[in-house]
Amino acid sequence: MKKVLAILIPAILAAGAVNAAEIYNQDGNKLDLYGKVDARHLVSKDDGNDGDATYVRLGFKGETQITDSLSGYGQWEYNIQANNAEEVGTAGNATRLGFAGLKFGDFGSFDYGRNYGVIYDVEAMTDILPVFGGDSYSASDNFMTGRANNVATWRNSNFFGLVDGLDFALQYQGSNRGAGESANGRDNALAQNGNGWGASVAYNIEDTGVSAVAAYSNSKRTDDQRALWMSDAKHAEAWASGLKYDANSIYLAATYAETRNMTAIKGLSDAVTDKAKNLEVVAQYQFDFGLRPSLAYVQSKVQKLDEEFAQVKYIELGSTYYFNKNMAVYADYKFNLLNKNDDAVKTLNLATDDVLGLGMVYQF
């Protein structure tokens, strides 16, 4: 049993905690169904981080072999909040992923739809904590730092089959403007974007567990975004770099990223930072019997109007215990390091209380 867990758990983590169940595989066509129930409870003096946070996720991955060197694929993933009253209806429910594409042998793959932005290629290294993490600058529908609409992505592995371990991606994101301006218009200016592009490159040193990733993106800002408080910049930029070691049951990763005119100022609904400097570091160890302790540090230091302050700063200490590939329990504690007496923290009314997350996960 210990040996089985030692093999399965790293594989589950590498796949984003997804262990798909094959429901069809015949004549070059394959369809996998995956999902999980995360029964989560948060404990904190901060009301916004206290209470039930249970959710369910479902998705599928499909593949079809067209010719010897050409195949098609698609993926869909949906989030369902299970902590709402029935009368609330679908509040909080959302499509996380939805894209389709073609893979052309060593030439790589091309897909379009709702997918992860290339900046997340770096963020994924440290966004692996049981509850927290991934919140220094990465967010959904914030240009190409997380999940986003209207992205066309070309990915190539092993540099056209010529260099083992050298991967790259090029991405174009079409505009997602305000309501009435586009087919998928949105009222929230902080979730809009103009046309933009991004790229990432990764190198995995074979048989060492060491890999490095770097990414960059540049996008136009919409008229609504340029009308935000003190933010008339024409472009939003991000660059990120990361390094990790994943071998011998040890996982170590560190990422550093900077954004310009992109990261939202927490506590405000109409402002973005002029600059944000973001650091995330994580260390984990996988025991053969299923226990995986986690230690991390996350910080986002931002600038606005020549003022600099931290809006995210905490130490994470947690652990997950895997009974098997389908069932796990976890506890995750966030030591909030924001100073409640700091002028910016008080003005923005940022949460300064610690948070404890407890939960059980069933996944397939």
Side-chain angles (χ1 to χ4, degrees):
M1 182 63 176
K2 292 180 180 179
K3 292 182 179 179
V4 172
L5 286 172
I7 295 172
L8 286 175
I9 293 170
I12 293 171
L13 291 168
V18 170
N19 181 43
E22 185 177 275
I23 60 175
Y24 184 83
N25 190 351
Q26 187 175 352
D27 300 325
N29 295 295
K30 181 180 179 181
L31 182 63
D32 294 338
L33 181 68
Y34 66 88
K36 71 173 179 177
V37 178
D38 191 330
R40 175 179 297 180
H41 187 84
L42 302 178
V43 181
S44 178
K45 293 181 180 179
D46 172 34
D47 291 340
N49 288 304
D50 183 75
D52 185 14
T54 301
Y55 65 88
V56 180
R57 285 181 189 156
L58 292 172
F60 68 77
K61 294 180 178 180
E63 299 177 14
T64 181
Q65 195 68 39
I66 301 170
T67 68
D68 291 342
S69 59
L70 179 63
S71 60
Y73 61 92
Q75 183 175 354
W76 171 82
E77 184 175 305
Y78 194 74
N79 183 85
I80 305 166
Q81 289 302 127
N83 59 341
N84 292 329
E86 291 186 11
E87 64 184 17
V88 175
T90 60
N93 299 352
T95 296
R96 288 167 54 86
L97 300 170
F99 60 89
L102 293 168
K103 185 174 182 180
F104 307 86
D106 289 337
F107 187 74
S109 64
F110 177 83
D111 53 62
Y112 172 80
R114 181 169 178 82
N115 204 342
Y116 283 98
V118 290
I119 299 297
Y120 193 79
D121 289 0
V122 176
E123 177 68 358
M125 285 182 160
T126 49
D127 188 16
I128 61 169
L129 310 184
V131 175
F132 309 108
D135 55 349
S136 63
Y137 70 99
S138 179
S140 298
D141 302 304
N142 183 229
F143 298 92
M144 287 168 266
T145 66
R147 296 181 303 278
N149 290 97
N150 208 0
V151 290
T153 312
W154 174 39
R155 291 189 178 276
N156 184 284
S157 300
N158 299 320
F159 197 70
F160 302 97
L162 301 174
V163 182
D164 290 343
L166 181 59
D167 307 334
F168 70 87
L170 297 176
Q171 188 170 71
Y172 175 83
Q173 183 178 29
S175 63
N176 296 295
R177 300 184 300 276
E181 295 184 276
S182 63
N184 59 334
R186 48 196 70 178
D187 292 321
N188 182 6
L190 295 177
Q192 297 175 12
N193 64 269
N195 296 323
W197 66 276
S200 71
V201 60
Y203 185 65
N204 308 295
I205 303 176
E206 191 175 1
D207 299 326
T208 66
V210 176
S211 59
V213 184
Y216 173 80
S217 71
N218 187 310
S219 302
K220 292 181 179 179
R221 302 177 74 237
T222 66
D223 291 341
D224 287 349
Q225 289 178 326
R226 296 185 64 188
L228 294 177
W229 177 65
M230 297 289 185
S231 184
D232 190 38
K234 294 181 179 180
H235 292 267
E237 292 181 279
W239 68 266
S241 59
L243 184 67
K244 77 173 180 180
Y245 173 80
D246 186 9
N248 303 312
S249 301
I250 299 171
Y251 188 94
L252 302 171
T255 63
Y256 179 80
E258 291 191 9
T259 65
R260 303 286 191 277
N261 313 306
M262 179 183 293
T263 303
I265 296 180
K266 297 184 184 298
L268 296 178
S269 61
D270 62 348
V272 295
T273 63
D274 297 332
K275 179 190 293 187
K277 301 176 182 179
N278 312 279
L279 174 66
E280 300 183 13
V281 182
V282 60
Q284 298 183 346
Y285 185 83
Q286 184 61 60
F287 288 96
D288 288 345
F289 60 87
L291 184 66
R292 188 180 184 92
S294 175
L295 176 65
Y297 177 79
V298 179
Q299 175 183 286
S300 180
K301 187 172 287 188
V302 304
Q303 293 178 3
K304 187 68 177 178
L305 301 178
D306 296 324
E307 295 290 331
E308 184 173 88
F309 59 93
Q311 64 173 4
V312 176
K313 189 176 182 180
Y314 63 86
I315 293 173
E316 176 266 358
L317 179 62
S319 186
T320 302
Y321 180 78
Y322 295 89
F323 294 99
N324 54 34
K325 65 180 182 179
N326 298 109
M327 196 73 199
V329 294
Y330 62 79
D332 208 17
Y333 196 91
K334 175 181 178 179
F335 296 90
N336 198 332
L337 301 181
L338 291 180
N339 187 347
K340 64 181 180 181
N341 295 317
D342 183 85
D343 289 340
V345 171
K346 289 191 293 185
T347 299
L348 297 172
N349 196 29
L350 301 180
T352 59
D353 294 305
D354 295 348
V355 186
L356 170 65
L358 300 169
M360 296 182 288
V361 176
Y362 172 78
Q363 60 189 8
F364 63 91

